[in-house]
Amino acid sequence: MNPHSGYNCCDSRGDPGTGDIIDWHVYTGPDAPRPSDTRVSVLGEFGGVGLRTPGHDYSPNGQFFAYEQVTSREQLNDRYTGMVRDVRQLMTAKGLSAYVYTEITDVEGEYNGLLTYDRRVQKVDTEQVRQAHTALLDASRNLNAPAGLTLGHVRSFRVTTSGHTDRYLRHADSVARTDSDTGGPFAADATWCSRPGLAAGGVSFEASNQPGSYLRHYADQVYLARGGGPNPWDTSTSFAADATWNAGEPALWRSSVLLPTDRHQSLRVTTWGHTNRYLRHADGLAHTEIVDANSSGLLKQDATWTLRRGLADSSCYSFESVNYPGRFLRHADSRVRTATDDGSALFRQDATFCARAGIGGPGVTFESINIPGSDLRHFESAVYIASGSGAQGAYNRPQTLTADATWVIAAPWAP
């Protein structure tokens, strides 16, 4: 039972505390309440992104309304799929269980739909919407999977090293190796089934095309092995332990995107409508600002950084100011600023960010090494680290978080 849909808005008397659902309405959103021990979190209404399609809409009084206006199909695709990504963040970070988008079609006087009022024009791209929804559903099925693995499912392990990302872990003649797709049995050889650990405390990986054979280390090498088989690496001695892997530990190499270091780079915003803005420092604080060929030399320098190996971890990254050498981007009380390295462990952690594939699409997301789940994010021209939990302040809201926390590594404005 949903006792009060949207109790948080519209001069409501507030949450009645009853029923099975805690339900918010947030335009344009998304945002969501946290679930309780007895009630699930639902975003009962959000969205309202409008694209007018003259000749295919209708209003009894000639007036039309949308919570947010866009001017092109491309922008609507970007906003809608970005909202679905932000819902995915809410699901994983705040426990959201369901949402209702406003709305599937235009209605009388409102043009917030993905289809027009007469159902004759589809405003969004089918494939982009499908991909966004599929990613959301896939993430929902993996919510409780440790280390991103679901026992019983199949996985392929792709190399992340720059220049070798077309290679996968495979077995060939019982030996583990990395290889690019050579056709034939390659796909099967490069697919592994995650199984409960043959020994306690880990995961075992069974070859999908050779049931009963597992990824096993033996005498410093790695093989595809079968307990009691004919080869030396099949020996039953310590087989269960050798074929069980701890997949729950943090990666030794913390970044999943490799970036060139000791080079000047600029960080460009990817959020729709703001892609001419770059991360810069001013008066000791990090901001975003429009930078172009006509910008001042000072602004171009402020918007250029030397990418260094992470001060706290060499597999992550730190950003050193080009025009103030020795000053690095760091976070303090969630606000990102520049400061001189004081040699403390706290400073070096605050100034270290691990790179991963952009959570908003093409680009890179930088996660704080000492506050996991919080990413480098711009909000109203200022820069923070944020998780989208909604706590601390408006900058930590989940709206547009996935786009705002994704950056393009661009050519430096001050080479």
Side-chain angles (χ1 to χ4, degrees):
M1 182 180 73
N2 189 358
H4 188 163
S5 181
Y7 75 81
N8 63 310
C9 77
C10 316
D11 298 320
S12 164
R13 294 186 178 184
D15 182 10
T18 56
D20 304 304
I21 295 172
I22 308 173
D23 186 338
W24 278 10
H25 292 182
V26 184
Y27 289 102
T28 54
D31 201 351
R34 292 191 179 276
S36 71
D37 291 338
T38 58
R39 296 188 296 163
V40 299
S41 168
V42 169
L43 175 55
E45 291 187 28
F46 85 107
V49 180
L51 176 63
R52 283 291 306 273
T53 312
H56 298 277
D57 48 21
Y58 171 73
S59 172
N61 58 11
Q63 297 179 342
F64 291 93
F65 169 79
Y67 288 94
E68 178 183 321
Q69 174 72 49
V70 296
T71 58
S72 69
R73 187 170 184 255
E74 291 75 19
Q75 188 174 0
L76 181 59
N77 282 324
D78 182 87
R79 290 291 290 122
Y80 178 76
T81 56
M83 284 180 163
V84 175
R85 290 195 310 268
D86 293 337
V87 165
R88 187 175 68 200
Q89 186 82 5
L90 285 168
M91 178 182 67
T92 57
K94 292 186 75 174
L96 178 66
S97 288
Y99 73 89
V100 179
Y101 180 81
T102 300
E103 41 212 355
I104 299 299
T105 71
D106 292 352
V107 296
E108 293 184 6
E110 292 188 19
Y111 54 95
N112 300 320
L114 306 182
L115 296 168
T116 56
Y117 177 80
D118 59 9
R119 282 34 169 202
R120 294 190 177 184
V121 178
Q122 179 175 309
K123 303 182 190 179
V124 289
D125 178 75
T126 298
E127 189 55 36
Q128 291 187 48
V129 171
R130 179 184 290 115
Q131 289 177 3
H133 289 171
T134 299
L136 174 64
L137 293 171
D138 288 346
S140 75
R141 299 185 180 105
N142 256 332
L143 284 176
N144 299 314
L149 297 172
T150 302
L151 294 177
H153 288 192
V154 296
R155 293 288 187 272
S156 292
F157 299 96
R158 183 169 62 85
V159 172
T160 65
T161 308
S162 180
H164 302 279
T165 55
D166 61 339
R167 301 180 73 88
Y168 291 80
L169 178 69
R170 72 169 295 188
H171 63 86
D173 298 324
S174 297
V175 178
R177 56 180 289 172
T178 63
D179 209 348
S180 54
D181 190 348
T182 54
F186 174 84
D189 289 348
T191 302
W192 306 86
C193 305
S194 53
R195 305 297 193 204
L198 299 179
V203 179
S204 293
F205 297 100
E206 184 181 19
S208 68
N209 58 347
Q210 293 193 29
S213 294
Y214 292 84
L215 195 67
R216 186 247 179 112
H217 66 87
Y218 174 80
D220 298 331
Q221 303 296 317
V222 179
Y223 298 90
L224 182 68
R226 178 184 297 272
N231 304 298
W233 54 82
D234 294 326
T235 176
S236 59
T237 304
S238 73
F239 181 88
D242 290 352
T244 300
W245 305 83
N246 185 346
E249 295 293 325
L252 297 177
W253 191 269
R254 302 285 292 275
S255 292
S256 57
V257 175
L258 297 182
L259 302 172
T261 55
D262 302 325
R263 295 186 186 179
H264 292 181
Q265 306 280 186
S266 293
L267 270 64
R268 182 171 61 80
V269 169
T270 66
T271 307
W272 182 275
H274 302 280
T275 54
N276 56 351
R277 302 183 72 89
Y278 291 78
L279 190 154
R280 60 94 46 111
H281 65 84
D283 299 323
L285 294 174
H287 304 271
T288 66
E289 189 166 332
I290 295 172
V291 186
D292 57 30
N294 297 318
S295 296
S296 68
L298 176 61
L299 175 55
K300 290 178 179 179
Q301 289 183 329
D302 288 349
T304 304
W305 307 88
T306 304
L307 197 62
R308 303 293 192 192
R309 289 288 180 197
L311 298 178
D313 188 310
S314 63
S315 69
C316 298
Y317 302 94
S318 294
F319 299 92
E320 184 180 11
S321 168
V322 162
N323 51 348
Y324 289 89
R327 294 182 68 86
F328 291 83
L329 282 181
R330 72 168 295 184
H331 64 84
D333 297 324
S334 298
R335 187 71 165 86
V336 177
R337 59 198 74 217
T338 61
T340 302
D341 182 2
D342 61 10
S344 68
L346 177 61
F347 179 92
R348 296 190 169 196
Q349 290 178 339
D350 288 349
T352 300
F353 302 87
C354 300
R356 55 193 174 104
I359 59 175
V364 182
T365 291
F366 293 97
E367 183 179 19
S368 167
I369 196 171
N370 58 345
I371 306 183
S374 291
D375 301 320
L376 196 67
R377 185 249 179 109
H378 66 90
F379 176 75
E380 294 184 350
S381 302
V383 180
Y384 302 85
I385 59 164
S387 64
S389 67
Q392 290 90 42
Y395 69 87
N396 205 16
R397 68 182 189 177
Q399 291 96 319
T400 70
L401 174 66
T402 56
D404 293 351
T406 302
W407 306 82
V408 169
I409 306 297
W413 281 106

